[in-house]
Amino acid sequence: MANVGWDEVNDAALLNPFENSMQDLVNTAQSDRDYSLFSSFSASTASWRVVKPIYNSDVCIHCQNCWVYCPDSAILSEEKKMQGIDYDHCKGCGICADVCPTNPKSLIMYEEATVEDSALASWPEKKKKEKKA
Amino acid sequence: MSKIIKNLKQFSTANERLEGAHLLCPGCAHSIIVRELVNCTDHNLVIANATGCMEVCTAVYPYTAWDTSWIHIGFENAATSAGAIAETYKVLERKGRLNKNAENTKVLAIGGDGATYDIGFQFLSGAVERGHDFTYVCLDNEVYANTGGQRSSSTPVGASTTTTPAGSQSIGNKTTKKDMIGIMAAHGAPYVAQVAPNKWKDMIMKFQKALEINGPTFVNAMSACTTEWRFPSHQTITVSDLATDSLAFPLYEIENGVYTINYRPKNIVPIKDYLAIQGRFKHLFKPGNEHIIEEWQKRVDKKWVQLQKMEEMTNS
Ligand code: SF4
Ligand code: SF4
């Protein structure tokens, strides 16, 4: 059915995001799901990005702020631990870096072409709190 | 079953039910809100989605971003569809024909402010009046963002939209925002509330409540729109913080007529700070337009006093 155009489908289009019937969705991790080609999980929006978040696990406190506020389900989190970024689905909006509370930040936005290791090697130092005037 | 979610770490163990690679703009608050909605409960969900950004961007053939049952019919009839689905489940259950796997199901309708405040208003009103057991969530970005940024009856005064552009002879939209929460409460709906994406804990508490309560429930979700409100995509949560802290979007709920204010900002920020961060209000800061901001501040102050009085009155 993947090769049938929308105007060739009768009445309505029925898209099943999974290859087989899904019985216990809420207890099945994404990695254990049998996604079909109809699920947008199988697609990518990586080409939308101009900037990308780079994650530094040394500073991260696993607060999960980035997980809850990412609009694109692109923060990988497992057993209460931040695992990194799903670059297939991240659009580079920068919200995760904005809401990250650590000092220095554990997520920083870089040009898309930046090499991760070089960014991590020159990660900013802890900023001193500005004294209130 | 509603999950008991005590903190964010625990919430983050939820298995995702809204997939990425939908086509909403980078930084869109719609999918932040909907992710929290579909991930805050273990219920099976059946969702009727009105035409709008959320619908058009999550179901572009041949892809769907939804892992739940989901249907799109028209701009106007999400509430009617949801009502019909809820009744179907009831009848099947009564006749003993409901599939075992479907027993733990909640029915939702989702619409933007165009679908909710304008086009689907009559249908929503009817479905709520008939008392179907469903939850309606309005993703309120105060504009028809999907079709190019035309005003809706949710657009606030002074906002520049494509049908109410600001200019030398125009301050932008001339009318004030429709009080949809008041209107839904007046229907006698058992639960009506307002939420914002930056206050995730308040939001999932209200979503869970709305789903759990029997009968029609309505949640208005402020949804900052980077494209039409004109702010950079990384500022969605900052703008939402200003919206709740300036009381442009007060967070409250009305349960069986009883008002509860859920968030009292420690430091209430002036409304002009909320307006200044958005391109759609830029012209209000030009000389001659000061009165619009002053009047807005007065309206917000008055509404806040009113809400507190309603809370006092209905709780005594
Ligand atoms: S917001 Fe920052 S500190 Fe919190 S989990 Fe994400 S990366 Fe780690
Ligand atoms: S940049 Fe935006 S889309 Fe990418 S991971 Fe961060 S919040 Fe998600």
Side-chain angles (χ1 to χ4, degrees), chain A residues 1-2 4-6 9 13 15-18 23 25-30 33 35 37-45 48 61-73 77 79-81 88-89 91-95 98-99, chain B residues 7-29 31-32 35-36 38-39 41-44 58-68 101 197-200 232-238:
Chain A
M1 192 162 144
V4 179
W6 65 270
V9 178
L15 306 177
N16 190 343
F18 307 110
Q23 295 299 348
L25 180 71
V26 289
N27 292 313
T28 311
Q30 284 179 305
R33 294 179 186 168
Y35 286 106
L37 286 174
F38 291 122
S39 173
S40 68
F41 185 82
S42 316
S44 171
T45 41
W48 290 34
I61 54 168
H62 302 283
C63 67
Q64 305 296 338
N65 269 353
C66 55
W67 175 83
V68 77
Y69 294 129
C70 173
D72 295 286
S73 321
S77 170
E79 289 173 10
K80 307 185 181 177
K81 294 264 188 275
D88 282 340
H89 299 133
K91 291 175 188 153
C93 67
I95 291 179
D98 241 44
V99 298
Chain B
N7 53 46
L8 196 44
K9 284 194 182 194
Q10 189 196 348
F11 188 22
S12 73
T13 59
N15 292 311
E16 191 61 55
R17 289 206 274 187
L18 182 77
E19 301 297 346
H22 50 67
L23 305 184
L24 290 162
C25 301
C28 179
S31 43
I32 305 178
R35 281 189 61 225
E36 296 187 33
V38 296
N39 292 332
T41 170
D42 280 346
H43 287 102
N44 293 320
T58 54
V60 180
Y61 190 83
Y63 295 117
T64 172
W66 301 86
D67 292 337
T68 62
N101 296 327
N198 51 324
K199 301 288 178 212
W200 69 268
S233 66
H234 65 92
Q235 282 185 344
T236 307
I237 298 301
T238 311

